[in-house]
């Protein structure tokens, strides 16, 4: 075993192990770079705190951080990853029969729990970087605590973070102790370098690096540079720009999860010239990079969000919080005084949120509810949330699961249906799971998998989704998703292409509340055609409201499923306009198959002033849209007579007088 570098956390390791022998749970708060992620889990494994046949699972928020931590621990143990130490996340599983310490992403743990609600494989679960408050980590902590207090009293829980507010955790984990370690840090000076907001981020970084060459103190210029960018696309563009401008002076090193192991290792190795490391917020606390004296902070991040229209998870570029900005700046002061350039103004800094809003307060919860129920927690009212989500979001998600057929009733405590259990087995949003299962039944799963990958990756670029499906090319991540989801079906089903009509019907089952109809008015057919050629067509949504469709993308027929929309607001407009950006045409008769809260029949008596008669109007509605309407003779003669007399007399009387009029012998 190689000789290990001493880290600040090392003296606390025996105390942490002793505490976990006595207590079921423990909280460790230690500053970035202290070694908590790579030193505590292997030490606990060596101290035999779990049974020989059990694993220690370490939850890490990001794939890159999980992989790098596992590789570092395996290296320090003198072995390759996949032996005693492994890692696992979507698309990659490096582990084997000897693996006892497994680093994984938070979402992967929930998949384990769906398959094995008692989590028999694990004797301990470590939740790292809990301060980030991801939805999956909040749900995992709540479920694991319930499991610990019920079926698995032997299960150990360790919650770790760099900037943890422990006040809420200690009462949530009865009997837990708290260990805190504040490693010394050097001062970091901060400068603001605002520029035109429309300027590309790679141009801002290039200018900041040029400014540092001329203005930064010599001791800063001798160190490495860490650049925080929101995502991989910006990393690649920035790498290209900096390579062309400074390739002879700096070693430009992107850092992202798609890099091979050898390229990632260069980030942490010594170099013959200063390094410029281009990273996302994974380098805030999850990874420690020695030798950084200058941080360039774009002030942006990719934040887990979701489409307000479809509920499908998505990553949105958002400003970082002050807490995140402080963490980023601190990376320049690990080994010596440092400098941080923020590529925005001081006024912008003052206006930012102090902390990130926990995901549980701002996320779509349909997939979370489905997974919790699949773990065996049928009554959501009994679930031990670390922080309860908004009641409205819970109710909306429960209603959607019922519309999709995943639950027997629309309330929070409803049991999963047989269909719901199949949906929960597929690691995908419930809408897309329902879509794929219906596509399997209709022999069009191959095409459905491609379309689901486009929807999931927010890659719908044409209004006509079927045209994009025929002509578009898939990216490598989209192909991986198809392989992942296709593994839950037979090979024959995955190869079935089917017809567009079958695919459209399957889409309806996944998006039943996103049906729209072209607005019909009294305009002539010639006028309607003119509007479609040069203007916009209005679509009315079944859940209320309306959206605009470009005339050149005219809808064939009247009905469709709207898969995506965009909001646009111009100066002077009170509210944004909704523009339909992706749809699939459907047949209205399909809606009659949809037995649920959306389909309703109503009858009312109406007075036809032109004919001077009372009719009974029968309507079948789908949400707020009328599918069919008929007029017939009234069934209730007495009610028809009352309406007839009131309506006829109101032609000569004021409305208020007619409402109170009584006609002896007839009423």
């Amino acid at each position: 075993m190689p000789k290990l570098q001493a880290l600040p956390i090392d003296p606390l390791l025996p105390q942490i192990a002793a505490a976990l022998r006595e207590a079921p749970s423990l909280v460790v708060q230690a500053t970035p770079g202290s070694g908590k992620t790579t030193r505590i889990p292997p030490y606990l494994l060596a101290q035999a705190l779990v049974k020989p046949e059990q694993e220690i699972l370490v939850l890490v928020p990001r794939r890159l951080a999980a992989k790098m931590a596992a590789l570092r621990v395996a290296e320090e143990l003198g072995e390759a990853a996949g032996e005693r130490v492994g890692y696992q996340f979507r698309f990659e599983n490096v582990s084997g029969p000897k693996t006892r310490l497994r680093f994984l992403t938070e979402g992967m743990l929930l998949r384990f729990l769906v398959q094995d609600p008692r989590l028999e494989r694990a004797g301990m679960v470590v939740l790292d970087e809990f301060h980030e408050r991801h939805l999956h980590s909040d749900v995992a902590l709540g479920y694991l605590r319930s499991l610990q207090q019920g079926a698995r009293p032997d299960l150990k829980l360790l919650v770790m973070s760099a900037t943890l507010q422990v006040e809420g955790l200690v009462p949530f984990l009865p009997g837990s102790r708290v260990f805190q370690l504040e490693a010394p840090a050097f001062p970091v000076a901060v400068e603001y370098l605002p520029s035109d907001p429309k300027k590309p981020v790679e141009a801002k970084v290039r200018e900041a690096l040029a400014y540092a060459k001329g203005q930064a103190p010599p001791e800063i210029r001798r160190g490495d540079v860490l650049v925080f960018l929101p995502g991989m696309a910006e990393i690649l563009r920035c790498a290209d720009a900096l390579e062309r401008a400074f390739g002879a002076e700096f070693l430009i090193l992107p850092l992202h999860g798609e890099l091979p192991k050898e390229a990632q290792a260069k980030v942490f190795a010594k170099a013959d010239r200063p390094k410029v490391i281009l990273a996302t917020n994974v380098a805030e606390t999850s990874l420690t990079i020695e030798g950084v004296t200058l941080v360039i902070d774009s002030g942006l991040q990719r934040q887990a969000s979701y489409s307000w229209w479809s509920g499908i998870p998505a990553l949105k570029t958002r400003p970082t919080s002050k807490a995140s900005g402080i963490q980023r700046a601190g990376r320049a002061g690990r080994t010596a005084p440092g400098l941080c350039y923020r590529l925005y103004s001081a006024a912008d800094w003052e206006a930012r949120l102090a902390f990130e809003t926990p995901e549980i307060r701002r996320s779509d919860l349909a997939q979370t509810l489905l997974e919790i129920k699949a773990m065996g927690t049928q009554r959501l009212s009994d679930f031990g949330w670390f922080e309860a989500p908004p009641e409205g979001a819970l109710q909306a998600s429960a209603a959607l699961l019922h519309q999709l057929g995943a639950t027997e009733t629309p309330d929070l405590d409803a049991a999963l249906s047989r269909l719901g259990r199949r949906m929960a087995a597929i690691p995908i949003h419930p809408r897309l799971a329902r879509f794929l299962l219906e596509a399997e039944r209709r022999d069009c799963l191959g095409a459905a998998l491609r379309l689901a990958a486009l929807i999931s990756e927010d890659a719908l670029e044409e209004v006509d989704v079927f045209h994009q499906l025929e002509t578009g090319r898939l990216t490598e991540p989209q192909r991986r998703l198809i392989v992942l989801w296709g593994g839950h079906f037979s090979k024959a089903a995955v190869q079935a292409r089917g017809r567009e009509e079958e695919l459209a019907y399957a889409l309806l089952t996944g998006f039943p509340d996103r049906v729209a109809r072209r607005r019909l008015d009294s305009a002539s057919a010639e006028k309607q055609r003119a509007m479609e050629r040069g203007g916009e067509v209005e679509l009315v949504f079944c859940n209320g409201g309306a959206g605009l469709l470009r005339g050149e993308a005219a809808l064939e027929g009247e009905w469709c499923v709207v898969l995506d929309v965009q909001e646009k607001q111009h100066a002077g407009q009170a509210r944004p306009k909704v523009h339909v950006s992706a749809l699939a045409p459907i047949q209205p008769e399909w809606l009659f198959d949809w037995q649920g809260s959306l389909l309703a029949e109503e009858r009312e008596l109406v007075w036809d002033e032109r004919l001077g008669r009372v009719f009974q109007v029968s309507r079948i509605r789908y949400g707020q849209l009328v599918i069919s309407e008929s007029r017939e003779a009234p069934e209730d003669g007495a009610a028809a007579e009352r309406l007839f007399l009131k309506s006829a007399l109101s032609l000569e009387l004021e409305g208020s007088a007619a409402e109170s009029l009584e006609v002896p012998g007839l009423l």
Side-chain angles (χ1 to χ4, degrees):
M1 181 182 297
K3 185 177 180 180
L4 302 183
Q5 174 191 0
L7 293 176
I9 199 68
D10 290 344
L12 284 178
L13 295 178
Q15 300 175 51
I16 291 172
L20 267 176
R21 289 189 191 279
E22 301 299 326
S25 306
L26 193 67
V27 177
V28 173
Q29 184 269 317
T31 50
S34 61
K36 65 184 183 305
T37 303
T38 57
R39 290 290 167 85
I40 295 178
Y43 185 85
L44 297 177
L45 181 64
Q47 296 300 306
L49 264 73
V50 298
K51 297 176 182 177
E53 67 275 11
Q54 291 180 322
E55 297 181 6
I56 295 177
L57 303 180
V58 185
L59 274 63
V60 184
R62 297 171 186 84
R63 291 182 295 171
L64 177 60
K67 183 175 182 178
M68 297 302 294
L71 293 174
R72 173 65 63 86
V73 172
E75 180 184 3
E76 293 188 346
L77 292 177
E79 58 188 45
E83 296 183 34
R84 279 185 296 169
V85 182
Y87 60 89
Q88 185 173 354
F89 42 79
R90 191 168 70 172
F91 307 138
E92 197 165 355
N93 181 4
V94 178
S95 62
K98 296 181 181 179
T99 300
R100 301 283 314 289
L101 179 59
R102 188 184 303 263
F103 290 80
L104 65 158
T105 49
E106 301 151 330
M108 185 59 63
L109 176 71
L110 296 191
R111 301 312 306 171
F112 285 177
L113 289 169
V114 168
Q115 298 164 9
D116 175 18
R118 287 174 54 92
L119 200 63
E120 299 284 3
R121 70 192 300 164
M124 180 188 302
V125 179
V126 180
L127 293 90
D128 198 14
E129 306 297 355
F130 189 77
H131 70 278
E132 296 193 13
R133 295 294 309 280
H134 292 175
L135 175 60
H136 285 150
S137 61
D138 270 25
V139 172
L141 181 62
Y143 182 85
L144 293 171
R145 187 196 67 160
S146 299
L147 192 61
Q148 188 186 63
Q149 295 176 346
R152 288 291 311 278
D154 61 311
L155 183 67
K156 301 286 187 179
L157 295 181
L158 172 57
V159 183
M160 305 196 303
S161 177
T163 59
L164 190 62
Q165 299 293 322
V166 298
E167 290 82 2
L169 271 171
V170 173
F172 189 76
L173 298 172
S176 62
R177 288 186 58 187
V178 178
F179 284 83
Q180 292 183 292
L181 174 64
E182 295 292 334
F186 291 88
V188 176
V190 175
E191 293 187 32
Y192 295 91
L193 303 179
S195 60
D196 185 353
K198 296 181 181 179
K199 185 180 295 184
V201 68
E202 60 268 26
K204 296 180 182 181
V205 172
R206 185 180 62 239
E207 292 173 359
L209 193 56
Y211 177 79
K213 285 179 57 183
Q215 301 297 322
E219 60 272 18
I220 298 295
R221 297 200 301 270
R222 285 193 292 267
D224 295 331
V225 182
L226 177 59
V227 182
F228 284 99
L229 296 162
M232 189 167 74
E234 291 83 0
I235 287 176
L236 296 178
R237 293 201 308 269
C238 199
D240 182 61
L242 296 185
E243 191 66 53
R244 285 186 278 109
F246 306 108
E249 304 168 70
F250 296 95
L251 182 60
I252 311 301
L253 296 173
L255 178 60
H256 54 79
E258 300 300 318
L259 286 175
K261 177 183 175 181
E262 296 74 18
Q264 293 174 352
K266 290 181 180 179
V267 171
F268 303 93
K270 293 186 181 299
D272 58 356
R273 58 189 187 276
K275 295 179 290 187
V276 176
I277 301 152
L278 309 174
T280 64
N281 53 3
V282 69
E284 280 182 24
T285 57
S286 299
L287 297 178
T288 297
I289 303 171
E290 302 291 347
V292 172
T293 55
L294 174 62
V295 163
I296 299 176
D297 181 9
S298 69
L300 300 172
Q301 64 177 337
R302 288 277 198 278
Q303 190 178 71
S305 182
Y306 68 98
S307 164
W308 68 270
W309 177 257
S310 67
I312 304 297
L315 291 175
K316 305 291 185 181
T317 301
R318 298 280 189 265
T320 53
S321 66
K322 287 182 179 178
S324 176
I326 292 170
Q327 285 295 323
R328 292 183 175 191
R331 308 313 273 166
R334 282 271 299 119
T335 55
L339 176 62
C340 173
Y341 291 153
R342 290 178 177 150
L343 304 184
Y344 48 93
S345 68
D348 186 341
W349 168 260
E350 292 300 330
R352 297 191 174 211
L353 294 174
F355 298 95
E356 302 292 346
T357 303
E359 283 185 13
I360 201 162
R361 299 183 199 165
R362 52 180 171 84
S363 295
D364 175 83
L365 300 174
Q367 187 169 3
T368 299
L369 261 61
L370 183 64
E371 289 173 337
I372 290 175
K373 287 180 178 293
M375 295 174 200
T377 306
Q378 179 173 312
R379 294 179 56 83
L380 263 296
S381 54
D382 295 338
F383 188 76
W385 301 99
F386 175 64
E387 177 184 335
E391 184 66 21
L394 278 174
Q395 295 291 348
S397 296
L400 175 61
L401 290 180
H402 179 57
Q403 287 179 348
L404 297 176
T407 55
E408 305 289 352
T409 59
D411 60 275
L412 288 174
D413 295 338
L416 283 184
S417 64
R418 182 179 178 183
L419 175 62
R421 287 190 291 272
R422 284 204 67 193
M423 289 167 60
I426 307 173
I428 194 174
H429 190 276
R431 287 188 185 275
L432 297 180
R434 180 68 178 91
F435 165 48
L436 293 181
L437 290 170
E438 185 66 23
E440 177 192 34
R441 195 172 74 87
R442 294 180 171 271
D443 296 325
C444 57
L445 181 60
L449 284 165
R450 290 170 57 88
L451 184 51
L454 293 174
I455 296 172
S456 178
E457 293 290 286
D458 194 23
L460 294 177
E461 298 174 350
E462 298 185 33
V463 173
D464 183 350
V465 296
F466 295 147
H467 184 264
Q468 180 177 349
L469 203 58
E470 292 177 2
T471 61
R473 300 182 64 181
L474 296 174
T475 64
E476 184 59 30
Q478 290 162 6
R479 292 191 185 96
R480 290 180 182 178
L481 287 174
I482 290 173
V483 172
L484 175 67
W485 299 332
H488 294 267
F489 302 92
S490 69
K491 290 184 178 180
V494 169
Q495 294 171 356
R497 304 290 295 180
R499 295 180 296 130
E500 280 188 5
E501 187 175 76
E502 302 294 342
L503 194 60
Y505 190 101
L507 276 172
L508 173 61
T509 65
F511 298 84
D513 54 339
R514 295 300 184 250
V515 172
R517 183 182 189 180
R518 180 164 47 185
R519 186 184 293 280
L520 302 177
D521 55 26
S522 57
S524 66
E526 183 178 349
K527 180 180 177 181
Q528 285 277 18
R529 286 193 295 271
M531 288 176 60
E532 293 179 5
R533 282 196 301 269
E536 295 173 321
V537 176
E538 188 173 24
L539 299 180
V540 184
F541 303 135
C542 71
N543 57 353
L548 299 174
L549 178 67
R550 296 192 312 271
E552 62 268 24
L555 173 66
E556 293 183 10
E558 295 179 16
W559 296 82
C560 64
V561 171
V562 176
L563 299 175
D564 201 10
V565 300
Q566 295 178 350
E567 286 188 322
K568 298 180 181 179
Q569 187 168 13
H570 301 288
Q573 289 182 339
R575 61 180 61 184
K577 287 187 176 181
V578 175
H579 290 257
V580 174
S581 56
L583 58 79
I586 62 171
Q587 299 300 319
E589 55 266 25
W590 298 347
L591 303 176
F592 288 99
D593 298 338
W594 204 256
Q595 300 300 319
S597 59
L598 287 168
L599 196 65
E601 186 174 1
E602 61 183 32
R603 295 178 181 180
E604 68 171 336
L605 296 174
V606 298
W607 163 253
D608 189 322
E609 182 178 333
R610 185 177 63 84
L611 297 177
R613 294 181 57 187
V614 173
F615 291 94
Q616 177 175 286
V617 177
S618 298
R619 298 187 186 92
I620 298 179
R621 290 185 178 273
Y622 189 87
Q624 298 188 27
L625 301 178
V626 176
I627 304 177
S628 67
E629 181 175 293
S630 62
R631 301 173 71 177
E632 53 197 20
E635 294 179 359
D636 188 341
E641 283 190 54
R642 290 194 293 271
L643 178 61
F644 172 80
L645 291 174
K646 289 185 178 182
S647 300
L649 290 175
S650 69
L651 296 175
E652 300 178 2
L653 300 175
E654 293 293 329
S656 58
E659 285 294 319
S660 60
L661 182 65
E662 293 186 3
V663 181
L666 291 176
L667 295 183

